Amino acid sequence: MSDTQFTPRVFSGIQPSGGLTLGNYLGALKRFVDMQNEGSFETVYCMVDLHAMTVWQNPADLRHNTRELAAGFIASGIDPSKSILINQSQVPEHAQLAWIFNCVARMGWMQRMTQFKDKAGKNAQNVSLGLFAYPALMAADILVYHATHVPVGDDQKQHLELTRDIAIKFNHDFEVDFFPVIEPVIEGAATRVMSLRDGSKKMSKSDPSDASRINMTDDADTIAKKIRKAKTDPEPLPSEAAGLEERPEARNLINIYSALAEMSVDAVMTDVGGKAFSEFKPMLAELAVEKLAPISTEMARLMNDQAEIDRILAHGAEQAREITAPILAKTYEIVGMIK
Ligand code: AQP
């Protein structure tokens, strides 16, 4: 563990590998806004375009998705005067530190990463080297800011453990106390929002079925239709959370309701226990539209002025580099590179 006192600083990111989903919003973005507004941290938030390209991205789509994601951050409440908002490739120190970490991380560590195994599937020999090295770049994203806290959804837990391992090994190998050992922040009812079509699969931007997810750009009718068609079981809702244990689809819809309403799961169960899904689904649809429609409207408005989005990102990159350039320079010095 580190004895150095680091400035309490939050870093987290989202890939512009498609449109934002309700899973990204509840598991990550909404928490980013909370941590920004809590006021106890400096906050740095990032569109991680270098991560997105670990799987094939059409260049025009990547550019569009990066700007739309920036619009999604701002529309959800990330305020560029309170948080540093950046696009990863515009801050070159991320990729530079990632190379150093490629040389610190061990092959065996990477081979254990379940996200790589899931994404590579049976095709492991044919996926990009970048997909394999993804967690070392993620460690660099975080540690190039000396960030101390990282809010993420549950699926990123293993990558954050690897970030801790990289920091510990670097500090040990070079006999320094330079990189912080970060704290993952995985909190709330919606740390793992599941597919609306299959309660055992994570809701994901890249799921081939659009009906499996709520996109932050969906209109009110589409949101209501997707919730109406969400897979459920025939039983009415239980009155206590324990009754959801063997019912993944029901549990997912309740967790979504709880996170959107900012109510505990127990309080939701008290309100909706005994109701049939035919009664509960319209309640959930109404709540989702109430919370999400203002965000999608604002995203559309911001996307009408892309020059303004680019200006915000350019300014964010300048602010970011004031932090990252000295940390990278010190890292180079520690490992023995000539200035
Ligand atoms: N279903 C989810 N529930 C809760 N949190 C989620 N996150 C993603 N999906 C869910 C969180 O969102 C943040 C950004 O994720 P990402 O874009 O970096 O990549 P991902 O986790 O791989 O998300 P997707 O939507 O599944 O993207 P694709 O399809 O491109 O792989 C992270 O904090 C993540 O935990």
Side-chain angles (χ1 to χ4, degrees):
M1 293 295 132
S2 175
D3 294 327
T4 306
Q5 285 297 314
F6 293 95
T7 305
R9 185 176 288 148
V10 167
F11 176 91
S12 198
I14 298 183
Q15 298 184 73
S17 46
L20 265 177
T21 69
L22 181 66
N24 298 135
Y25 176 66
L26 293 178
L29 197 39
K30 193 164 181 295
R31 299 286 301 122
F32 298 175
V33 177
D34 293 342
M35 292 188 90
Q36 166 193 270
N37 295 341
E38 257 167 44
S40 17
F41 300 96
E42 289 182 19
T43 44
V44 184
Y45 296 123
C46 188
M47 273 45 76
V48 286
D49 58 349
L50 297 173
H51 282 284
M53 70 174 295
T54 56
V55 298
W56 167 251
Q57 304 291 329
N58 174 293
D61 290 348
L62 181 60
R63 252 187 302 277
H64 170 85
N65 289 337
T66 304
R67 292 193 175 110
E68 190 179 78
L69 182 54
F73 272 68
I74 298 165
S76 301
I78 298 299
D79 177 347
S81 70
K82 292 187 185 157
S83 292
I84 298 179
L85 184 62
I86 51 159
N87 181 35
Q88 188 184 26
S89 61
Q90 291 175 286
V91 183
E93 290 80 11
H94 288 237
Q96 289 173 288
L97 184 61
W99 181 258
I100 307 277
F101 287 172
N102 281 340
C103 303
V104 172
R106 305 289 92 182
M107 289 288 285
W109 299 359
M110 298 302 202
Q111 275 159 347
R112 282 196 289 276
M113 294 296 110
T114 53
Q115 191 178 80
F116 175 75
K117 289 189 217 166
D118 291 347
K119 288 199 171 176
K122 294 197 176 78
N123 200 23
Q125 294 304 311
N126 257 329
V127 295
S128 72
L129 184 56
L131 189 67
F132 188 68
Y134 183 115
L137 176 58
M138 180 163 160
D141 296 335
I142 296 165
L143 296 175
V144 79
Y145 294 90
H146 277 183
T148 52
H149 292 75
V150 187
V152 287
D154 182 63
D155 59 322
Q156 295 299 325
K157 197 170 171 184
Q158 196 186 29
H159 287 165
L160 293 189
E161 278 159 14
L162 192 117
T163 299
R164 291 167 63 97
D165 290 342
I166 288 178
I168 291 167
K169 182 162 164 49
F170 181 98
N171 289 346
H172 176 267
D173 288 356
F174 295 100
E175 298 180 352
V176 288
D177 189 8
F178 185 60
F179 285 117
V181 179
I182 49 126
E183 287 299 328
V185 183
I186 304 174
E187 285 172 357
T191 55
R192 197 172 185 84
V193 178
M194 308 309 280
S195 157
L196 298 179
R197 306 303 304 157
D198 177 352
S200 68
K201 259 173 72 183
K202 190 186 79 144
M203 182 181 284
S204 191
K205 309 179 194 88
S206 52
D207 191 313
S209 160
D210 189 60
S212 70
R213 62 178 164 265
I214 293 176
N215 304 301
M216 296 301 285
T217 47
D218 283 342
D219 61 25
D221 285 349
T222 310
I223 294 175
K225 191 166 148 209
K226 285 179 176 174
I227 292 176
R228 199 166 58 242
K229 292 200 162 173
K231 185 176 167 203
T232 44
D233 58 47
E235 302 298 320
L237 286 161
S239 306
E240 288 178 4
L244 294 168
E245 251 160 50
E246 302 299 319
R247 300 174 63 186
E249 282 87 12
R251 188 174 61 219
N252 188 36
L253 296 186
I254 292 290
N255 284 346
I256 293 173
Y257 191 99
S258 150
L260 285 171
E262 300 185 1
M263 286 166 71
S264 70
V265 169
D266 287 334
V268 176
M269 299 323 294
T270 308
D271 284 0
V272 305
K275 288 193 197 300
F277 282 104
S278 56
E279 214 180 329
F280 173 65
K281 281 179 170 178
M283 287 171 64
L284 176 59
E286 192 183 333
L287 176 66
V289 169
E290 178 196 319
K291 299 286 179 178
L292 305 181
I295 300 177
S296 68
T297 308
E298 180 61 4
M299 280 173 77
R301 192 191 68 75
L302 290 163
M303 282 300 278
N304 279 328
D305 188 357
Q306 298 193 4
E308 174 63 5
I309 293 177
D310 290 359
R311 196 198 58 73
I312 290 170
L313 294 179
H315 178 61
E318 265 174 42
Q319 292 175 296
R321 296 195 73 194
E322 283 172 22
I323 303 173
T324 58
I327 289 176
L328 184 78
K330 184 68 189 167
T331 310
Y332 274 11
E333 186 190 318
I334 290 169
V335 302
M337 289 177 174
I338 294 175
K339 242 192 207 168

